[in-house]
Amino acid sequence: MRQSQRGQVDPFIVMDVMEQARRAEAEGRRIIHMEVGQPGTGAPAGARRAVAAALEDGPLGYTVALGLPELRARIARLYADWYGITLPAERVVVTSGASAGFLLAFTALFDAGEKVALGLPGYPSYRHILKALSLDAVGIETRLDERFQPRPGDLPADAAGLILASPGNPAGTMLDHDALRALVEAAHAQGAAVVSDEIYHGIDYERRAVSALEISDDVVVVNSFSKYFSMTGWRIGWMVVPEDRVRTFERLAQNMFICASHASQVAALAAMDCDEELRGNLEVYTRNRALLLEGLPKAGFTRIAPPDGAFYVYADVSQMTDSSLDLCAEILREAGVAVTPGLDFDPARGHEYIRFSYAGSTRDITEGIERLTRWHKAR
């Protein structure tokens, strides 16, 4: 059968690493997972109770395409609580995870063949989704000494859009208010749409993450319950879109997804009031971050940009190898620690980098550092 060229996207390499780790575990080995960006905790207890009660109350059917009105209102309230922003609930679109949000945003904003700029290293699915939609992803090479974030002067003059991520994946670095404003204004000056990936907001350490909505209403923000709210498998997220574009997004959502999972929406609404448990998760990430920043240099990983948020460290390993894929395979084989090659995040320079995730338990992170240190000394 024939196939499209736009469907020939690269694999998500971290998923291949997960499979290699699974095979090692099936052979009886204990593997420390520092490859996947998934919280080691489950959905908050209040979210689980809410779903159990809803299942007893009756069938969970379709909701309206934009999401349960009470969930949209609660998300709008979060922007007042976190950022001091008054946000009409009508601008909130509930999605089947952030991935659905990117599909909706890229489809609503760009026509086939247009160029969309994004920082490299960056989340690989941006590039892959853009290709699948017949859009041209244009990478902006960022540098470690600039904390892996783009500058306004880097934006291609013919770009129809700009994707920003703060905190970003894989480096966890953030843009401050002035830097974010400069990028948004540079994009708007040439008529480019801004899509701000804010799925790691709430997971920040020494300063608060800045939302693009603090800069402008003329942006599309994508967020998710996967990270701070610890609900990866529930596949539930949201967007904030300009008021005059809501109907466009609604029509697309009706046809692409009908609606997000009703059960997941019930859980998400309850999760937003589980502050004590969620802050406890953040305390774990904070401890894990400190352990990595202290321990990685002892294991030979000295060239890093300390993360401001999320739960990743992106390390330059060019002094160790010219193939991060081979190095990660060696670390898994000899140290029993699964980590992710930088090729996932930067196809040109990723062979010189690897990503460590510290989203797991402190016990596992501690053991992982000990294993890496022993591996480095024996290498």
Side-chain angles (χ1 to χ4, degrees), residues 91 109 184 187-189 191-196 212-213 215-221 240-245:
R91 292 179 57 192
L109 298 173
V184 170
H188 287 172
V194 173
V195 178
S196 181
L213 293 168
I215 308 298
S216 171
D217 283 332
D218 193 24
V219 295
V220 170
V221 164
V240 180
V241 305
E243 188 172 2
D244 62 349
R245 304 296 177 87

Side-chain angles (χ1 to χ4, degrees), residues 264-276:
S264 296
Q265 293 187 62
V266 171
L269 178 60
M272 299 188 78
D273 291 324
C274 296
D275 294 327
E276 184 175 351

Side-chain angles (χ1 to χ4, degrees), residues 17-338:
V17 175
M18 288 177 65
E19 173 58 20
Q20 293 164 14
R22 185 202 64 78
R23 289 199 297 266
E25 288 172 325
E27 295 170 357
R29 297 186 64 193
R30 170 167 155 73
I31 302 300
I32 301 298
H33 290 274
M34 299 177 70
E35 81 279 28
V36 66
Q38 174 167 268
T41 51
R48 301 195 303 272
R49 288 194 297 268
V51 172
L55 289 171
E56 294 299 321
D57 284 345
L60 296 176
Y62 293 138
T63 72
V64 293
L66 293 176
L68 292 171
E70 56 269 39
L71 177 57
R72 297 170 71 200
R74 181 64 183 87
I75 291 169
R77 201 174 91 213
L78 177 143
Y79 283 86
D81 296 340
W82 284 14
Y83 312 103
I85 295 173
T86 300
L87 179 71
E90 291 74 20
R91 292 179 57 192
V92 176
V93 179
V94 179
T95 62
S96 300
S99 299
F102 294 126
L103 279 168
L104 288 170
F106 300 162
T107 305
L109 298 173
F110 309 121
D111 287 315
E114 289 191 310
K115 295 180 178 180
V116 181
L118 47 92
L120 295 177
Y123 180 55
S125 292
Y126 301 148
R127 291 180 283 114
H128 302 163
I129 294 171
L130 288 168
K131 179 178 179 179
L133 295 175
S134 298
L135 295 163
D136 186 7
V138 180
I140 298 172
E141 290 193 352
T142 64
R143 303 200 307 264
L144 185 150
D145 60 3
E146 293 180 342
R147 300 184 55 72
F148 299 113
Q149 289 288 354
R151 301 169 301 178
D154 297 330
L155 182 63
D158 57 350
L162 172 63
I163 303 172
L164 297 173
S166 174
N169 178 8
T173 60
M174 296 195 309
L175 295 160
D176 63 23
H177 190 279
D178 290 344
L180 182 57
R181 176 179 292 279
L183 283 161
V184 170
E185 290 180 348
H188 287 172
Q190 65 182 58
V194 173
V195 178
S196 181
D197 179 351
E198 300 182 1
I199 71 170
Y200 294 101
H201 279 218
I203 305 176
D204 43 48
Y205 304 105
E206 296 167 2
R207 57 190 172 98
R208 175 181 68 79
V210 180
S211 173
L213 293 168
E214 297 178 67
I215 308 298
S216 171
D217 283 332
D218 193 24
V219 295
V220 170
V221 164
V222 178
N223 210 319
S224 172
F225 287 91
S226 289
K227 308 302 182 178
Y228 176 72
F229 294 97
S230 196
M231 295 176 62
T232 52
W234 296 77
R235 309 312 305 135
I236 185 75
W238 77 85
M239 311 172 70
V240 180
V241 305
E243 188 172 2
D244 62 349
R245 304 296 177 87
V246 172
R247 182 57 177 161
T248 296
F249 281 87
E250 182 178 27
R251 292 197 302 264
L252 286 168
Q254 288 170 340
N255 287 283
M256 285 183 167
F257 304 106
I258 300 180
C259 66
S261 160
H262 191 162
S264 296
Q265 293 187 62
V266 171
L269 178 60
M272 299 188 78
D273 291 324
C274 296
D275 294 327
E276 184 175 351
E277 184 175 346
L278 297 171
R279 299 304 293 182
N281 294 345
L282 180 58
E283 290 174 5
V284 173
Y285 305 143
T286 302
R287 289 195 296 271
N288 292 354
R289 173 181 181 265
L291 287 169
L292 277 190
L293 292 181
E294 179 184 0
L296 284 179
K298 298 176 183 177
F301 304 101
T302 58
R303 288 181 49 78
I304 60 176
D308 304 304
F311 31 58
Y312 307 115
V313 174
Y314 198 56
D316 183 339
V317 293
S318 56
Q319 80 282 11
M320 295 184 181
T321 185
D322 59 4
S323 171
S324 61
L325 201 63
D326 290 346
L327 183 65
C328 290
E330 177 186 332
I331 292 171
L332 178 61
R333 182 178 63 253
E334 299 185 5
V337 178

